[in-house]
Amino acid sequence: MIKVLTVAEMTVREILRRRAVLVIILMLPLAFYLSRRGDHLGQSIRFVCLGLGWALSTAALFSGSAARGLEPRLRLSGYGTGHLYAGRLAALWTLGLVLSAPYFLLIRVDADRVEHGAIALIMLLTVAVAAPFGLVLSVLVPRELEGTLLLLTVVGLQMMMDPAGSAARLLPFWFSREIATYAVDHTDGGYLARGLTHGTVCALALTVLAMTLASIRLRRRPHLRPVT
Amino acid sequence: MDHERRGQWLRGVLDLCVLAVLLRRESYGYELAQSLDAAGLGPIRGGTLYPVLLRLQRTGMVTAQWREGESGPARKYYRITEAGGEMLRRTAADWETFTRGVDTLLREVATR
Amino acid sequence: MNTDAWLHALDGELRRRGIDPALARHVVAEAAVHLRDSRQAPLAAFGPPDAYAAAVAESVGSPVRSAPHRRSAPGPVRLEARGIVKRHRRRTVLSGVDLTVRAGEIAAVVGANGCGKSTLLRICAGLESPDRGEVRLRGTLGFCPQDGGTSDFLVPDEHFALVGAGRGMRRGAAVRAGRAYAAALDWDPAGAGQARFLSGGTRQKLNLVMAGLGDPDVLLLDEPYQGFDRGSYVDFWRQLWAWRDAGKTIVVVTHLLDQLDRVDTVLDLTPARTTEARA
């Protein structure tokens, strides 16, 4: 447990020291929110949730990429892959919740005709999905730049694609629009149920995928035989 | 004077010159360097002088003591020992013999 | 170089040469008095610190601490690589390399650039798979990569804490041990900034300290002295000998051949041929 906590602590410290990145990540959802605040509050709420997802994925991507050089040697220094992965993910999830809290309060104060419980659910699922999503990207792409571009593409698609089309469901933050529709337009519970299912499946799948990729990357190679 | 040759000569006799100056009275490094310069040996660098002093101290030719001087802060004063004085006298005689030979030869060059 | 920096450097050089600390203090103090009296620049009066320290060491006849001539019986085999073959694309980098290192031994891996020194080390550490062959390892492992291996946004103490936690050390103990190792490399990491602001040489010191933290039995060091100044390089080898005397097994990748008389085994990976010779 000490190992997981130590990794989590150092992950948070690292992210907090990237001042510029931190400011952008903190402000971006706000910019999204304000962009449609005047004419369409519902759209504003959808955008802020997507903004949160993008911000946390980016933080996770940067964190995962930065750890590439360090993790193999930590693996040799007594850490299991699980310690490293759990610590990093826990830190990112915590960060995501902290990041979401002020935006939830904002919506709570600013918009009174929406289902606040559902908004909280979107944010929870967004945090749950975004952190492993960024970590998966950090393993799959060689550098932060490529990862950032990919994230932009995903969020861009998410905003433009018709949510009713089946292809849109392949995007990791599709649930966000579904539940938001329920929360803002007070539609039937089907939206909520579909969104909840999609979000949960995405969160689980990405968490498992990120874990698997980490285990492969940090695996013990069979040619190395410890002798006792 | 040829810089390199001066260095070679000094290497052979610097410890004797230091002892000779210390035979007059005890002294510290910088003052020793000034005395040697005044005696006509030219400027002696600290980097050359102090290792010689350390070697003399190690072989018991001099003793050293940190003391406040008349002016300024504490300095390391060197004093020649009995063994040092004995060695200096003996070597001075050898030096006399040696340089007499060199002198004789070089004087022939000068008078030719 | 100003006077204080010069005196500080002199102090370090004297210590490195194994001069008794009390005597070293006297020598430094005397030089300081001389510089003040003569109003000369230190380089003009004494020359470079290392040259002057060498002259002092010679004068006081102290043993220049180089490789200790210790030849106790070799310990048990700690690292044994057998028949390691590795190809990058179609080029054979390692063709059947063998390496056996015992406790209390230093093995040097030498050879031209690109001959697979780092690859061999990474294979021994289990960070890369060979195409054939196996590595038997007895004990815990410390690895110092050629570059990377540190976290840009963490300060040195946090690195120590992080590695220490993996080794089961308490944070205070890990930081203390890290600082002690750093001091042996003439580096004070207390108050040093984030790793990204450290110079190349200092970051390698951090890397090296991390590798030694928690007392691993086998140390694999991949040219860890890059960017070291001369003094730190001397310190580095002294640290290696200290580790060897403590019974550690050390494999060090090097292209500098001036230290080969001070190691126990030399593995030459110069292309296509591998030879293992007992030094």
Side-chain angles (χ1 to χ4, degrees):
Chain A
M1 197 59 194
I2 295 270
K3 293 181 186 175
V4 176
L5 285 178
T6 309
V7 173
E9 178 200 328
M10 297 306 166
T11 304
V12 170
R13 283 176 187 267
E14 276 176 343
I15 295 174
L16 292 185
R17 282 176 193 158
R18 293 176 175 241
R19 296 278 155 72
V21 173
L22 208 60
V23 168
I24 294 172
I25 286 176
L26 278 169
M27 300 317 289
L28 183 107
L30 184 64
F32 276 31
Y33 185 79
L34 294 178
S35 66
R36 300 300 293 276
R37 170 70 186 78
D39 60 331
H40 199 314
L41 188 63
Q43 206 66 332
S44 269
I45 291 175
R46 288 192 184 98
F47 278 10
V48 86
C49 292
L50 273 182
L52 281 173
W54 181 83
L56 186 59
S57 307
T58 307
L61 167 75
F62 278 41
S63 171
S65 296
R68 277 191 167 195
L70 191 63
E71 280 188 334
R73 83 175 304 170
L74 290 179
R75 187 78 179 80
L76 296 177
S77 315
Y79 284 95
T81 307
H83 295 130
L84 296 172
Y85 179 67
R88 191 164 304 279
L89 196 58
L92 289 166
W93 275 337
T94 310
L95 191 82
L97 292 178
V98 172
L99 185 66
S100 306
Y103 287 105
F104 179 72
L105 288 177
L106 175 68
I107 295 172
R108 181 82 219 238
V109 172
D110 197 38
D112 48 4
R113 297 197 44 205
V114 297
E115 294 281 339
H116 290 118
I119 301 291
L121 179 66
I122 298 176
M123 289 186 171
L124 274 179
L125 285 173
T126 300
V127 168
V129 168
F133 183 50
L135 287 180
V136 166
L137 283 183
S138 76
V139 178
L140 294 182
V141 300
R143 276 175 301 268
E144 290 171 355
L145 178 64
E146 286 85 340
T148 315
L149 291 176
L150 236 119
L151 276 175
L152 275 176
T153 312
V154 167
V155 174
L157 281 175
Q158 195 89 65
M159 287 179 168
M160 322 242 266
M161 274 172 89
D162 174 15
S166 55
R169 300 186 185 209
L170 293 174
L171 294 170
F173 297 110
W174 181 76
F175 67 87
S176 169
R177 280 189 89 137
E178 288 295 287
I179 305 181
T181 304
Y182 168 82
V184 176
D185 302 334
H186 306 286
T187 54
D188 64 273
Y191 281 89
L192 177 65
R194 277 197 301 278
L196 186 58
T197 313
H198 181 267
T200 312
V201 168
C202 275
L204 282 176
L206 285 167
T207 305
V208 170
L209 180 60
M211 176 78 201
T212 311
L213 290 173
S215 322
I216 293 174
R217 198 163 59 84
L218 298 171
R219 70 190 180 279
R220 269 248 159 19
R221 323 264 162 163
H223 74 275
L224 187 63
R225 310 237 168 108
V227 188
T228 44
Chain B
M1 201 186 295
D2 179 350
H3 195 73
E4 194 176 328
R5 191 170 295 282
R6 175 178 166 271
Q8 284 173 0
W9 287 344
L10 258 186
R11 216 165 297 145
V13 294
L14 185 57
D15 57 337
L16 298 177
C17 297
V18 166
L19 284 177
V21 174
L22 287 177
L23 200 61
R24 299 180 192 158
R25 63 184 171 89
E26 66 169 0
S27 179
Y28 58 91
Y30 179 58
E31 195 180 58
L32 272 168
Q34 286 179 310
S35 306
L36 292 167
D37 194 2
L41 269 67
I44 311 283
R45 294 168 71 237
T48 312
L49 179 62
Y50 290 100
V52 168
L53 284 166
L54 282 168
R55 197 158 33 235
L56 288 172
Q57 194 185 347
R58 178 172 61 102
T59 50
M61 301 295 116
V62 301
T63 56
Q65 199 185 8
W66 281 88
R67 225 179 33 243
E68 305 281 330
E70 307 89 70
S71 67
R75 295 194 175 89
K76 195 177 176 185
Y77 281 84
Y78 294 88
R79 174 183 295 208
I80 191 165
T81 61
E82 223 162 276
E86 173 63 26
M87 196 274 276
L88 180 61
R89 268 183 286 278
R90 201 163 6 100
T91 320
D94 292 346
W95 175 255
E96 190 76 41
T97 319
F98 178 72
T99 49
R100 205 175 298 138
V102 178
D103 271 352
T104 313
L105 286 170
L106 294 189
R107 207 160 292 142
E108 285 174 23
V109 179
T111 53
R112 185 162 294 173
Chain C
M1 191 187 273
N2 69 27
T3 303
D4 282 344
W6 186 90
L7 290 170
H8 180 76
L10 174 63
D11 188 46
E13 292 291 343
L14 290 169
R15 215 162 33 73
R16 263 180 208 123
R17 287 181 166 73
I19 305 277
D20 175 56
L23 176 61
R25 269 202 306 282
H26 282 274
V27 171
V28 172
E30 196 173 22
V33 173
H34 182 96
L35 290 174
R36 203 186 39 232
D37 283 345
S38 67
R39 295 208 179 80
Q40 278 180 311
L43 280 174
F46 289 93
D50 57 336
Y52 182 53
V56 168
E58 203 193 7
S59 298
V60 299
S62 84
V64 175
R65 264 199 244 163
S66 63
H69 291 290
R70 166 220 61 103
R71 252 328 111 191
S72 56
V77 173
R78 284 269 176 74
L79 181 80
E80 195 178 12
R82 284 277 158 264
I84 302 294
V85 174
K86 179 74 182 179
R87 291 183 200 89
H88 279 323
R89 304 189 186 215
R90 285 160 66 196
R91 198 168 65 90
T92 301
V93 185
L94 300 169
S95 53
V97 175
D98 296 329
L99 176 67
T100 303
V101 199
R102 295 169 174 277
E105 279 189 346
I106 301 177
V109 179
V110 302
N113 288 339
C115 69
K117 302 188 294 278
S118 295
T119 306
L120 177 65
L121 220 64
R122 291 175 56 78
I123 289 173
C124 286
L127 297 174
E128 208 171 305
S129 295
D131 293 310
R132 263 212 308 274
E134 66 167 33
V135 176
R136 287 168 180 278
L137 177 72
R138 208 174 261 108
T140 50
L141 200 61
F143 179 67
C144 180
Q146 201 172 8
D147 48 26
T150 57
S151 176
D152 279 354
F153 292 87
L154 296 181
V155 303
D157 281 354
E158 288 160 355
H159 284 85
F160 304 153
L162 189 56
V163 172
R167 300 265 189 223
M169 300 167 80
R170 288 179 172 281
R171 180 165 298 201
V175 170
R176 272 195 303 281
R179 289 185 178 179
Y181 273 133
L185 296 171
D186 199 20
W187 173 46
D188 180 12
Q194 298 169 25
R196 65 194 163 123
F197 299 128
L198 299 176
S199 74
T202 310
R203 202 175 325 188
Q204 275 309 95
K205 288 183 186 178
L206 171 60
N207 233 332
L208 195 61
V209 171
M210 287 165 78
L213 216 58
D215 265 345
D217 302 308
V218 178
L219 282 146
L220 305 174
L221 313 173
D222 191 355
E223 293 191 48
Y225 44 73
Q226 297 206 7
F228 280 14
D229 54 31
R230 211 200 62 85
S232 301
Y233 185 68
V234 173
D235 289 335
F236 163 70
W237 280 95
R238 280 181 56 187
Q239 180 63 55
L240 243 55
W241 297 318
W243 272 331
R244 171 171 74 180
D245 292 348
K248 309 240 172 276
T249 299
I250 297 156
V251 181
V252 56
V253 167
T254 172
H255 58 255
L256 300 174
L257 304 178
D258 62 331
Q259 302 292 339
L260 292 190
D261 54 332
R262 295 162 174 192
V263 304
D264 303 285
T265 303
V266 177
L267 175 65
D268 189 350
L269 291 180
T270 302
R273 298 190 50 79
T274 56
T275 46
E276 188 181 352
R278 298 289 305 182

